[in-house]
Amino acid sequence: MQNIKRHLPAAASLLVTLVYPLAIWLGHGRVEPRLLALLLVLAAASRLPALKLNRSSRWWLAGALLLAALAIWNNALLPLKLYPVLVNLGMLAVFGYSLHAPPSVIERMARLSDPALPAYAVAYTRRVTQVWCGFFVINGTLAMVTAVWASAAVWSLYNGVLAYVLMGCLFAGEYLVRIVVRRRHRRLERQPDGPHA
């Protein structure tokens, strides 16, 4: 029960993030943007428990509340459509900073299941972190383009569906590459002269 309570805020935040694009699209033209901004306030509130854990969450919260305030002040939809851009910027900052100040985000995640990572795995996790940084740059750019120049329906389709499909493809592709890399290094380690044979 204690374990469920600990993960409840993260699950709530994820749920709000997932339904956000759909809610904005459904509300577009029916509900005033200043009322839709309450969804962004809700998304920000769902992240409050994470504030004690890391500094990046504070910047993310400030950004989300600023977008909500702009939407309420101007009764405009654009600040609300910029939320996925903010999410990608936040993730890019976290992943990018971990490359500057190791261990990388992916290495930390990998060490949860295998604390004694071999050297090749550390290098591999760093490379995967770099790939995710590239993904956040591309995804954030597309989120910006759809927010500024596309219709609410196209914005919602990309940010609510296609972005997650692309993320899933990246997860699946990385998993397959990881299997190949692991098998190759295990095969090299079994050779008499070791990995440099």
Side-chain angles (χ1 to χ4, degrees):
M1 191 66 176
Q2 192 70 22
N3 202 24
I4 293 174
K5 285 182 180 179
R6 193 172 71 231
H7 294 293
L8 199 57
S13 178
L14 178 63
L15 181 62
V16 171
T17 301
L18 288 173
V19 301
Y20 181 83
L22 179 62
I24 296 297
W25 176 60
L26 291 174
H28 179 60
R30 298 181 182 89
V31 181
E32 287 193 351
R34 62 170 48 104
L35 293 177
L36 289 173
L38 296 176
L39 287 171
L40 197 45
V41 174
L42 179 63
S46 69
R47 288 288 186 101
L48 286 175
L51 291 182
K52 297 176 183 176
L53 300 178
N54 56 60
R55 193 175 300 169
S56 63
S57 291
R58 296 174 193 169
W59 287 107
W60 179 91
L61 176 64
L65 291 177
L66 177 61
L67 290 176
L70 288 171
I72 292 168
W73 181 264
N74 298 311
N75 199 25
L77 192 65
L78 180 59
L80 301 179
K81 290 168 72 177
L82 292 175
Y83 173 65
V85 179
L86 175 66
V87 171
N88 280 279
L89 280 174
M91 296 301 288
L92 176 61
V94 170
F95 277 61
Y97 182 75
S98 76
L99 291 171
H100 173 71
S104 67
V105 169
I106 302 297
E107 181 183 342
R108 286 181 215 156
M109 293 169 64
R111 286 189 184 279
L112 293 175
S113 57
D114 184 8
L117 279 182
Y120 84 85
V122 172
Y124 175 77
T125 56
R126 182 174 178 80
R127 179 65 66 191
V128 173
T129 303
Q130 291 170 342
V131 170
W132 275 106
C133 285
F135 173 83
F136 294 131
V137 169
I138 294 169
N139 195 46
T141 301
L142 290 172
M144 174 71 84
V145 168
T146 58
V148 176
W149 288 291
S151 66
V154 170
W155 173 84
S156 183
L157 175 65
Y158 179 78
N159 293 284
V161 178
L162 296 180
Y164 293 108
V165 170
L166 292 174
M167 198 178 297
C169 289
L170 183 53
F171 268 117
E174 186 278 319
Y175 179 73
L176 294 175
V177 170
R178 190 190 328 157
I179 290 173
V180 171
V181 169
R182 188 181 293 152
R183 284 179 180 171
R184 183 168 65 102
H185 278 275
R186 284 178 179 170
R187 190 167 57 248
L188 289 172
E189 286 169 0
R190 283 197 297 268
Q191 290 178 4
D193 294 330
H196 302 292

